[in-house]
Amino acid sequence: MKIQLKRIDNDYHFELKNERGHVTHIDSKPAVGGHDLAPSPMEYVLMGVAGCSAIDIISILKKQRQEITAYSAEVDGTRVEVDGAKPFKTITVTVYLEGDIASEKAKRAAELSFETYCSVSKTLEPTASISYKVIVNNKEV
């Protein structure tokens, strides 16, 4: 896996491209000299957790023939200063599912994702505590 980064302006706006040609941007907040033209690198980390777990959960539920009519998630990260850096200390993911979905299957799919399959979560696990909850049709399971 390889990513290319190219500086766009004289500050902190960058274009990133993967090997398949997909392009995205990164910037920083004005408080640190950026122009807030794109998410920050740390926001992309949280987006990675959301996307990785979503792919896992939906894949597992589809294999179980569960009918998903809507999927969304919220990811909240808390950071702590360590030797000048500010890594995530805790990450909390709330998964919202709608459809004809058995609650126990949704809960198990999330458990498998976060505890076994999600490469992003597994990468962060040594330094951040990751927790999750699942809401199916407006009821926490």
Side-chain angles (χ1 to χ4, degrees):
M1 186 178 299
K2 189 177 194 178
I3 300 293
Q4 293 180 336
L5 178 140
K6 180 173 78 175
R7 191 174 185 194
I8 299 296
D9 63 17
N10 289 329
D11 293 314
Y12 306 110
H13 183 200
F14 302 95
E15 176 187 278
L16 297 105
K17 187 186 323 182
N18 69 5
E19 292 174 301
R20 297 181 315 280
H22 301 288
V23 175
T24 191
H25 292 253
I26 286 180
D27 199 356
S28 64
K29 299 174 187 170
V32 293
H35 300 284
D36 205 17
L37 297 172
S40 72
M42 292 302 279
E43 288 168 329
Y44 273 111
V45 171
L46 296 181
M47 289 178 192
V49 171
C52 185
S53 61
I55 290 168
D56 290 342
I57 292 167
I58 291 169
S59 174
I60 292 165
L61 292 174
K62 281 179 131 183
K63 288 176 186 169
Q64 297 176 341
R65 302 193 190 287
Q66 300 298 291
E67 186 65 35
I68 304 164
T69 57
Y71 183 103
S72 62
E74 293 178 1
V75 183
D76 183 32
T78 304
R79 298 166 70 184
V80 62
E81 189 162 338
V82 177
D83 298 327
K86 289 169 62 174
F88 287 112
K89 181 176 180 171
T90 62
I91 297 173
T92 305
V93 182
T94 304
V95 173
Y96 298 92
L97 289 155
E98 292 181 20
D100 187 12
I101 304 163
S103 294
E104 65 277 358
K105 289 185 179 187
K107 185 175 183 177
R108 179 67 177 144
E111 179 183 308
L112 284 168
S113 175
F114 289 105
E115 296 178 17
T116 305
Y117 297 123
C118 179
S119 299
V120 178
S121 294
K122 298 305 278 181
T123 299
L124 296 170
E125 205 172 66
T127 58
S129 170
I130 301 173
S131 61
Y132 60 92
K133 61 182 172 180
V134 180
I135 313 291
V136 177
N137 297 321
N138 298 315
K139 291 183 183 175
E140 186 170 349
V141 298

